[in-house]
Amino acid sequence: MSAKNHKQWKIPAFEQGDYVDSRIYSDQNIFDEEQDKIFKQVWIPVCHESELPEAYDFRTTSIAKEPIIVVRGKDNEVRAFLNVCPHRGMRIERRTAGSFSDGQPSGNPKHMTCMFHAWQFDMKGNCVDIPRAKEGYQDRLTKENVGLRRLRCEVRFGGFVWVTLNDKVEQDLEAWADGAFECIRSAIDTEPLEVFHYHKAIIDSNYKLWHDTNSEFYHDYMHYHNRVTGFNDEYFARTNKGFKNGHVNVNSFTVQYGEFELGESREDLSFPGFPPNQWYMIDLFPGMNFNLRGSALRCDIVTPLGPNKVMIEFRGLGLKSDSQKDRKTRIEHHNSIWGPFGRNLHEDLLGITGQGASMQTGSEPRRILHGRHENNLIHDEIGMRHFYDEWSKWMGRNPSDPMDEQRKVLAAE
Amino acid sequence: MNAMKAAITAAVTDIVYRSCLYLDNGNWGEFLNLCDDSMIYSIKAYSVEIRRDMEYLSHNKKELGTLTEMLPKLNSDHSPLRRHASVYTVDIGEDGETATAVTSLAVYQNMHDGINSHIDSGETRLFLVGKYLDKFKISGESALLIEREVRLDTRRLDKGTHHLI
């Protein structure tokens, strides 16, 4: 049979679990649930410690619409708080990054100051000054009664700063990752890393479609670069490995960078204990990607903005100890593939843009397949299936039947 | 301004504007003909997020040739880029052998693909703003590009592009 009507098209010879219903990418209610049930509950990397290298440096970000500020105290500890003043709910710091070493128009040096009414806080989130507190609040409220909303925060896995909005998170970060980072642990944890690249993309597509793309290698057919540098026996022998909590990693092979016209071997520059020209990939639930390839580490962090809108922040990292020459080489290697003008990233983003265009809210529900089974080898779509098993647990929905329609029909029969 | 300086200024300005036309039209060979063999091309930006100067792309003339020849092999957005440039300043070196120019740049994208080509095609969107910071080798009254730094103000680049800016 060739082309199919809607009913025929919806029934491939696949079991549930080998496809998802496209409404998980487009339904507003599902999106809102994901924010509450997943993103407000789990560990999310929000920045890298090298973005706040000095005491009193800060970085602002957000998780599930909650504004967050990460600061480094004079004790060198990195802490995270809601970036919200307990007085009138004003966002305390409006800049994306900077230092509190200098004073602000409403506040003193070395303090976080809400510009609105000049409440001031130290780097541990303690309120240290409320203007004319005694006159206004008598003894009903003192600075000791208020402070910033503290968030659980860890610096781990190559120096990334991880935050959770969940005060009662059941697993610490190490347990949450369940060993997914072990394949690159010595490479990223032997000595400090440093961010050298940052850019962002806001794409009209669902955040899971980006994570899907990072979780499957079958789309390497889209990339001329990957076809010429990769498609060989060693590449097709790579395997996907699932971990608890929906994480997956993909083991390495030797990339033949020299096969690409603008390629250059990464043989002379790598990471501690990391063999040259290798490529490991870690996909962390619910949408973070760590990609150690040759001489550069890439990290993608998604911030879902709507069922059909996602912001993706891209970072590139090398070693803090890099010589100027080595850093330049890492940057060139990174950007030739992964920069906004590089060979691969543009193509990946075209891919999810096209998916977003065909899966807008209200579009005909479709079955989106991830049913390739190849003994967990590189083009096996086990990574996506593993992710959606976990998604199902958090959401209480079957991704193949998210509205419970098929189950109800079967029950009625 | 003496006649020689005026002629060099005119030659530099002419190269900047021609480079825009050639790049707009995907006429890569003609663009490269405006470049000396020592040409270095880069795209850079300062990130307020990580508080660092960043280099998004860097190539010499030979690599630029390879890059542009490779474009038909790559899956790219089909929406062409259009440059609006104003040469703000041209400064000629004291030795008369080099010159620099600062050009304000806005790059628009005429949608072909967009998000949904049925809806978006025909629309023009702002793609990025920045500057060309150019250096030239001067020979008599003629000039060749030896360095172009595309200094971006825009850092939210969404889908990005395979094309030179």
Side-chain angles (χ1 to χ4, degrees), chain A residues 51 57 59 96-98 194-195 197-202 222 224 260-262 328 331 335 340-343 346-347 349-350 357, chain B residues 43 48-52 54-58 63 66-67 70 73-77 115 152 155-162 165:
Chain A
E51 294 166 43
D57 284 350
R59 186 79 167 86
T96 185
E194 192 167 72
V195 171
H197 173 95
Y198 177 89
H199 84 279
K200 67 174 75 161
I202 296 183
M222 176 166 67
Y224 169 70
F260 186 61
E261 290 89 331
L262 277 171
K328 184 169 174 53
I331 290 171
N335 289 336
F341 305 94
R343 301 308 93 194
H346 177 54
E347 297 175 347
L349 292 169
L350 288 178
Chain B
I43 303 175
V48 300
E49 295 86 2
I50 62 171
R51 293 184 287 164
R52 284 177 190 279
M54 303 183 297
E55 187 171 80
Y56 282 158
L57 197 71
S58 175
E63 291 165 341
T66 306
L67 189 78
M70 195 189 298
K73 298 178 179 177
L74 306 177
N75 289 299
S76 299
D77 191 296
I115 306 301
L152 300 184
R155 287 164 290 104
R156 184 190 139 186
L157 293 156
D158 293 347
K159 284 185 287 184
T161 181
H162 281 145
I165 299 301

Side-chain angles (χ1 to χ4, degrees), chain A residues 138-155:
Chain A
Q138 299 81 45
D139 295 322
R140 294 172 296 127
L141 183 151
T142 66
K143 63 181 188 295
E144 287 75 21
N145 298 140
V146 294
L148 297 186
R149 162 84 162 85
R150 167 186 55 82
L151 301 175
R152 290 195 58 173
C153 173
E154 290 193 31
V155 178

Side-chain angles (χ1 to χ4, degrees), chain B residues 103-136:
Chain B
T103 302
S104 179
L105 178 72
V107 180
Y108 301 90
Q109 194 165 37
N110 291 315
M111 291 299 151
H112 181 169
D113 298 17
I115 306 301
N116 177 346
S117 58
H118 181 216
I119 309 296
D120 299 337
S121 62
E123 183 183 333
T124 298
R125 295 178 188 162
L126 183 64
F127 186 66
L128 61 81
V129 296
K131 288 188 176 73
Y132 283 147
L133 306 177
D134 291 334
K135 290 184 183 173
F136 298 85

Side-chain angles (χ1 to χ4, degrees), chain A residues 71-340:
Chain A
V71 298
R72 189 183 287 276
K74 65 179 180 182
D75 58 358
N76 209 35
E77 282 294 310
V78 173
R79 297 180 177 87
F81 307 97
L82 278 192
N83 186 14
V84 177
C85 182
H87 175 215
R88 298 278 295 159
M90 166 72 170
R91 181 169 295 207
I92 293 174
E93 180 52 54
R94 293 165 295 146
R95 293 168 292 173
T96 185
S99 171
F100 291 118
S101 289
D102 299 326
Q104 293 293 304
S106 293
N108 296 325
K110 301 181 178 176
H111 290 82
M112 292 181 262
T113 303
C114 178
M115 62 168 266
F116 211 171
H117 304 93
W119 285 33
Q120 295 193 55
F121 306 89
D122 67 17
M123 298 300 117
K124 293 182 177 176
N126 301 309
C127 182
V128 294
D129 189 55
I130 298 174
R132 301 184 68 249
K134 187 76 174 173
E135 290 85 344
Y137 300 114
Q138 299 81 45
D139 295 322
R140 294 172 296 127
L141 183 151
T142 66
K143 63 181 188 295
E144 287 75 21
N145 298 140
V146 294
L148 297 186
R149 162 84 162 85
R150 167 186 55 82
L151 301 175
R152 290 195 58 173
C153 173
E154 290 193 31
V155 178
R156 199 168 289 273
F157 303 131
F160 284 90
V161 179
W162 302 71
V163 171
T164 175
L165 296 172
N166 181 0
D167 283 342
K168 297 177 179 173
V169 67
E170 290 179 3
Q171 296 172 298
D172 64 21
L173 182 55
E174 193 74 42
W176 167 251
D178 189 39
F181 280 96
E182 289 311 307
C183 58
I184 61 169
R185 197 71 184 258
S186 64
I188 64 172
D189 274 347
T190 298
E191 59 174 287
L193 307 185
E194 192 167 72
V195 171
F196 58 69
H197 173 95
Y198 177 89
H199 84 279
K200 67 174 75 161
I202 296 183
I203 303 292
D204 289 335
S205 195
N206 187 274
Y207 79 93
K208 297 188 292 299
L209 290 166
W210 183 246
H211 197 64
D212 288 354
T213 298
N214 276 332
S215 301
E216 58 91 358
F217 283 71
Y218 192 40
H219 77 271
D220 274 341
Y221 285 100
M222 176 166 67
H223 300 309
Y224 169 70
H225 175 274
N226 290 20
R227 294 200 306 271
V228 301
T229 62
F231 279 11
N232 54 35
D233 291 346
E234 201 183 346
Y235 167 88
F236 285 107
R238 298 177 77 184
T239 54
N240 295 275
K241 183 179 178 186
F243 296 83
K244 287 179 191 168
N245 303 320
H247 316 313
V248 173
N249 71 26
V250 179
N251 70 0
S252 187
F253 84 119
T254 307
V255 184
Q256 306 294 324
Y257 288 103
E259 297 297 315
F260 186 61
E261 290 89 331
L262 277 171
E264 175 185 313
S265 171
R266 274 69 168 156
E267 223 166 74
D268 297 333
L269 194 58
S270 185
F271 281 73
F274 194 64
N277 289 333
Q278 297 296 300
W279 177 14
Y280 277 97
M281 174 93 96
I282 299 163
D283 294 300
L284 227 65
F285 185 87
M288 319 305 162
N289 175 261
F290 297 83
N291 207 330
L292 183 56
R293 179 169 171 153
S295 52
L297 174 66
R298 164 182 153 191
C299 172
D300 303 359
I301 299 173
V302 298
T303 300
L305 302 175
N308 204 36
K309 194 175 284 289
V310 59
M311 178 173 78
I312 312 163
E313 294 173 280
F314 300 99
R315 284 174 171 80
L317 297 99
L319 299 179
K320 190 176 180 183
S321 64
D322 281 340
S323 66
Q324 203 172 358
K325 178 172 171 282
D326 284 351
R327 178 60 60 87
K328 184 169 174 53
T329 302
R330 288 190 201 277
I331 290 171
E332 286 176 0
H333 288 174
H334 174 276
N335 289 336
S336 65
I337 310 298
W338 292 331

Side-chain angles (χ1 to χ4, degrees), chain B residues 81-97:
Chain B
L81 300 176
R82 290 283 177 266
R83 289 150 188 82
H84 179 81
S86 295
V87 178
Y88 281 178
T89 59
V90 175
D91 293 302
I92 301 165
E94 286 185 7
D95 58 6
E97 293 179 356

